[in-house]
Amino acid sequence: MSNQTMSDQTRSVQVAALGLPRIGPRRELKTALENYWAGRIDADALYEVAAGLRAANWARQHALGIGIMPSNDFSLYDHVLDTSVMVGAIPAFYGWQGGAVPLDTYFAMARGNQAGAQAACCGHGAHDAPTLGVRALEMTKWFDTNYHYMVPEFEPGQIFTLASTKPLDEFNEAKALGYHTRPVLLGPVTYLKLGKSKDPTGDPLALLNAVLPVYVEMLSRLSAAGADWVQIDEPCLVLDLDERSRDALRHTYGLFARAVPNLKIMLASYFGELGDNLACAQSLPVAGLHVDLVRAPEQLQPLLAGARRDQVLSLGVVDGRNIWRADLAGILDRLEAVIVSHNAGPIQIAPSCSLLHVPIDLELETDMAADLKSWLAFAVQKLKELVLLGKALRQGREAVWAELNAASIAIRRRATSANVHDPAVAQRLAAITPAMARRTSVYEHRRNLQQAVLQLPAFPTTSIGSFPQTEAVRKARAAHGKGALSEADYTGFLRRETEQAVRWQEEIGIDMLVHGEFERNDMVQYFGEQLAGYAFTKHGWVQSYGSRYVRPPIIFGDVSRPKPMTVEWSAYAQSLTSRPMKGMLTGPVTMLQWSFVRDDMPRATVCRQIALALRQEVIDLEVAGIKAIQIDEPALREGLPLRRSEWQAYLEWAVECFRLSASGVEDSTQIHTHMCYSEFNDIIDSIGRMDADVISIETSRSKMELLDAFVGYRYPNEIGPGVYDIHSPRVPDVEAMTELLVKASDRLAAWQIWVNPDCGLKTRKWEEVRPALVNMVAAARQLRASLAEA
């Protein structure tokens, strides 16, 4: 092909963004949300902050040279919740009477509602305030990411109606600022498949014809307002779909093409390979198709082979989920080949998915080591990478030679850095034997020994680990970090907090205590800061859910444990009481999943490195007199590959890594684990193979429905089904907790059941935690009394 033809084609290459982080460079959204919830600002002030963040995102993209900018990628809490509000899927118990949805109803769906607040609208005008004392919607992980979404809840006879014009409002908002954007909608098929029907015989996908008119109305309004393209996200396309789901996609996009013929649709898939859904996706009457070539580079050739000449291909070539600098030269090699082979079709280049999952700007990290910083790219840097790629394709590599050379040099230096590779870690990996991942005896034998040591009553009470991180705790940590509080004074403060927590637990009658974790900042960061091979940011925040943001550690090198991490605090807490004190660790799979993981070796190998480091810690805790050790693995389920054909390989190494970390102790030491917001049915045999003595799980929002997986499997060990939803400010009463425990008792033997909250209590306030745990202890005592009378 001639250079002239190549030049003509590359001039048509456009650079697009699929979505940006919402939170603000300085977490402005978090501050505004929490001020609103606390009553310090009103809805107008919250909306003003939100509008400012949207405007800043558009301005930033425009200044960088992004040709296709999204709108409606912003959310006050969650984009799936926004979609439920848009289509009016609001359960009756929230008290919504139609019309625009009040802002406090929106937040009640997200967080529950115990105390009344004045109504403020998500749209226009004022409407009824939400019913007081309602629970939040269920929450679970967005595909295999660490982002949580609010699970749509559909009632029998569900009726949909356009209840929010947010996509249109934000398109017009951008238009008023001079930006022509591509609105983003969550596709109706994915939306329904993410939802849950309260009709036991109901199937959310059966509601497709009921919800499509709402989508058509929104698309028609966008078209009338001047939108020429809309991005519709259907990440369900990377899942194992049956023919019924594919028919739903065909029906949906056929209807859209007929109903809104002047509006072009960019159908976006991400997080994996289209695989056997590729033919379906390419057959849909949409003007564009986006694919993730970072997670699934192997789909490029099948994609090109079946591509339509009239369809825009959007190629996700920069990683939207990790923070490593892109190999720009390598990407250009691939893109130039694509352009030649796809010689009659227009091309867009984009991140693999929304940049929601990465921090905003690397330039905020002024204290980071120069070599590490040179290996990284956050959202702003990823946009710059895309712009550079676009420029190279349009003008030739020589136009950006310096930038390409700098990227290549950084990649080579990372590959050979002594900070990355540790021969001692490689030797420890090579020495792993199968016996290291097995307890000495079977559970039945261990249980008898553990009961003799721990002397626990029926329905023993405990909590998951952390207690509220009060303002005083945060201030002391900040002062210590700045050098304003000496090490001795800080340690003294933490010891007082720990002792108060221990005494209070004894006072209210908790059976197995925790030390409260006041010395810890985050359940992954705290450990990562003490492990070799980890690095940290100061401003690398990403959204987990709502106003809950995390700074994922960066695993850049081989992982090892230079010294004990938790032994001193656990031993101190145990010295304060004769009751058993749990040691608290974050498990290897969660340490992996909730970090930005190096991309130069298999994830399984990285996880084994972490497991070996934690194994040393578990053994040291036992030596220090800690007879119950909890190794939390809330991320084990979320790490499942999206395709079932890949599950077995993942579960084998994930379970092996947990057992490797836990199996170095004596039979009399009780190993706990914790998992939250997981669908256990599909992996229950793997959970059983973890062979933890006690597992605690989230069950309060599902009203013990998640427990059914353990019942059907006949789970042989002990279980703590959560009776207190810690993600809501509501304080459940004794009756509510007792009711949940009775349901658990109908499913499990009494000796199996532990009584605990759903998760750690770090994010809650003491005024919520104290009455809730007092009620929890009372509920356990009622069950013991019932058992004694039986």
Side-chain angles (χ1 to χ4, degrees), residues 255-293:
L255 174 63
F256 290 169
R258 296 189 300 272
V260 197
N262 295 325
L263 187 62
K264 297 177 182 178
I265 292 175
M266 173 59 71
L267 182 66
S269 67
Y270 39 80
F271 300 153
E273 181 184 10
L274 289 170
D276 54 359
N277 299 321
L278 176 61
C280 173
Q282 291 184 315
S283 73
L284 299 177
V286 294
L289 177 63
H290 173 82
V291 295
D292 183 343
L293 295 182

Side-chain angles (χ1 to χ4, degrees), residues 71-92:
S71 58
N72 197 45
D73 57 327
F74 179 86
S75 177
L76 285 174
Y77 202 94
D78 165 49
H79 60 279
V80 182
L81 177 60
D82 292 346
T83 305
S84 292
V85 170
M86 182 186 79
V87 302
I90 301 169

